[in-house]
């Protein structure tokens, strides 16, 4: 999981952002220890085909926001409301995934005040998905909690997940399913209960849940940390989880990191986005 943008230090931290400065004499030993830990972690992952098979991506877009006047600002001074910034980064994500693999399909679920709705079932048509997203408008949120059971009821009813078979573990399935949750509320805590179907989803080798939490900056007056901690309950160990406040550059960086194919990326704690020689 990535380091919180402005959450308190007791929250989860990203190993990439939390690296300490290391003296040259300690580098070899620390590098060996780090490499060993990563190797052990990767050996613990299930044996899956490491190929770019088609993804069926369920975009779960939160259309509720606590303050539409807290804006994202680009380097040229252009400003975006929270919902419009989420639309912007989603358009980039959808076009990029389609360019990587033309067989990528997208579905759209919107999170409203106290319920979830399937607006678009799986399609390869980028135009259809983006047009549907463009027509969405921000809504007020009056609830203290959002029950994700509404989302998983839709998945259970509408989505077919490929079965993992140990005897055929190196034979790629026809597709994998990934749920990308973009959660935008800072005062409405997700309610994620340990119910049978969620436990079933967490055990599926070809189903992934990734999260981008876009929150208000004043975390001392909002419930950002509580929400961030609650969202961790959706992670089965293979999720990518990012959070960002009103930082335009970082939200684009986070969505770019989510382009990685779940079958071809390492565990998030082992990711390294640096270039060139570190020493």
């Amino acid at each position: 999981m990535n380091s919180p943008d402005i959450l308190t230090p007791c929250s989860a931290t990203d190993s990439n952002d939390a690296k300490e400065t290391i003296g040259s004499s300690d580098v070899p030993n620390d590098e060996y220890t780090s490499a060993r830990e990563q190797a052990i972690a990767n050996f613990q992952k299930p044996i899956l085909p490491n190929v770019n098979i088609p993804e069926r991506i369920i975009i779960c877009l939160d259309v509720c926001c606590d303050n539409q006047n807290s804006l994202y600002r680009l380097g040229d001074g252009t400003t975006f409301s929270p919902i419009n910034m989420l639309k912007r980064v989603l358009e980039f994500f959808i076009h990029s995934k389609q360019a990587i693999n033309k067989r990528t399909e997208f579905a759209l679920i919107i999170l409203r005040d106290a319920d979830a709705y399937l607006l678009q079932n799986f399609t390869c048509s980028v135009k259809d998905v983006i047009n549907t997203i463009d027509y969405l408008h921000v809504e007020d949120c009056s609830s203290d909690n959002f029950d994700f059971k509404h989302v998983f009821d839709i998945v259970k009813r509408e989505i077919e997940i490929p079965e993992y078979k140990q005897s055929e573990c190196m034979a790629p399935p026809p597709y994998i399913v990934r749920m990308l949750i973009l959660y935008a509320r800072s005062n409405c805590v997700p309610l994620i209960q340990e119910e049978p179907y969620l436990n079933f989803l967490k055990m599926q080798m070809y189903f992934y849940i990734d999260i981008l939490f876009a929150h208000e900056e004043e975390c001392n007056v909002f419930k950002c940390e509580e929400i961030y901690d609650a969202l961790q309950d959706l992670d089965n160990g293979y999720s990518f989880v990012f959070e960002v406040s009103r930082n335009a550059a970082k939200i684009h960086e986070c969505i770019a990191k989510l382009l990685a194919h779940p079958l071809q990326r390492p565990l998030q704690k082992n990711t390294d986005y640096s270039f060139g020689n570190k020493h």
Side-chain angles (χ1 to χ4, degrees):
M1 283 157 267
N2 229 36
S3 62
D5 191 24
I6 56 172
L7 302 189
T8 58
C10 62
S11 299
T13 56
D14 186 295
S15 58
N16 298 321
D17 297 332
K19 289 180 181 176
E20 299 178 352
T21 304
I22 303 172
S24 59
S25 60
D26 297 329
V27 168
N29 185 55
D30 285 354
E31 283 186 344
Y32 170 78
T33 302
S34 176
R36 181 175 179 274
E37 289 175 352
Q38 291 185 27
I40 292 174
N42 286 327
F43 275 129
Q44 292 172 342
K45 293 176 65 178
I47 299 175
L48 298 172
N50 184 24
V51 292
N52 181 23
I53 59 175
E55 288 185 76
R56 291 187 177 177
I57 301 174
I58 310 165
I59 297 170
C60 293
L61 177 59
D62 189 0
V63 296
C64 294
C65 181
D66 300 288
N67 181 10
Q68 276 296 300
N69 295 319
S70 61
L71 304 176
Y72 291 86
R73 187 178 301 274
L74 300 183
D76 63 1
T78 307
T79 58
F80 291 84
S81 65
I83 187 67
N84 286 335
M85 179 54 76
L86 290 178
K87 290 180 180 181
R88 175 188 171 95
V89 297
L90 272 177
E91 183 173 353
F92 163 78
F93 177 84
I94 292 168
H95 277 295
S96 299
K97 289 301 297 184
Q98 186 76 191
I100 294 169
N101 190 327
K102 297 293 184 185
R103 293 184 294 166
T104 304
E105 297 182 38
F106 303 93
L108 177 64
I109 294 175
I110 61 167
L111 312 184
R112 303 187 70 180
D113 182 21
D115 210 344
Y117 299 89
L118 178 66
L119 289 190
Q120 172 73 62
N121 215 323
F122 285 120
T123 177
C124 290
S125 173
V126 168
K127 182 179 179 180
D128 288 349
V129 178
I130 291 179
N131 283 345
T132 304
I133 292 173
D134 282 343
Y135 278 111
L136 297 175
H137 300 286
V138 67
E139 299 182 9
D140 293 329
C141 177
S142 59
S143 304
D144 292 328
N145 297 98
F146 178 83
D147 193 345
F148 264 84
K149 185 177 186 301
H150 301 305
V151 175
F152 296 118
D153 284 345
I154 295 174
V155 175
K156 184 176 183 180
R157 184 174 65 249
E158 303 287 345
I159 311 300
E160 183 178 354
I161 300 169
E163 182 182 358
Y164 171 80
K165 298 180 180 179
Q166 182 68 40
S167 60
E168 303 174 5
C169 61
M170 295 310 294
Y175 61 88
I176 66 166
V177 178
R178 175 161 45 141
M179 178 181 289
L180 174 58
I181 299 171
L182 296 96
Y183 197 78
R185 310 175 207 195
S186 298
N187 259 340
C188 180
V189 180
L191 184 60
I192 300 162
Q193 305 181 57
E194 287 295 321
E195 52 101 7
Y197 189 67
L198 176 56
N199 293 331
F200 165 80
L201 289 177
K202 285 184 174 182
M203 294 181 352
Q204 299 309 299
M205 295 293 99
Y206 297 129
F207 181 83
Y208 295 83
I209 300 177
D210 291 340
I211 302 166
L212 176 57
F213 173 34
H215 57 80
E216 299 290 341
E217 291 184 317
E218 301 84 5
C219 284
N220 58 321
V221 297
F222 290 96
K223 301 176 182 177
C224 305
E225 186 175 349
E226 189 177 349
I227 292 170
Y228 183 82
D229 290 342
L231 289 170
Q232 310 303 317
D233 291 335
L234 295 172
D235 181 9
N236 68 348
Y238 304 107
S239 298
F240 271 31
V241 182
F242 298 99
E243 65 79 35
V244 61
S245 61
R246 299 299 182 245
N247 185 323
K250 186 172 179 182
I251 197 170
H252 284 85
E253 176 186 314
C254 292
I255 204 73
K257 291 175 179 178
L258 288 167
L259 290 173
H261 194 290
L263 292 182
Q264 296 180 310
R265 67 192 188 188
L267 299 176
Q268 186 176 6
K269 65 181 180 180
N270 294 336
T271 56
D272 185 352
Y273 299 103
S274 61
F275 291 92
N277 192 348
K278 301 178 186 177
H279 311 296

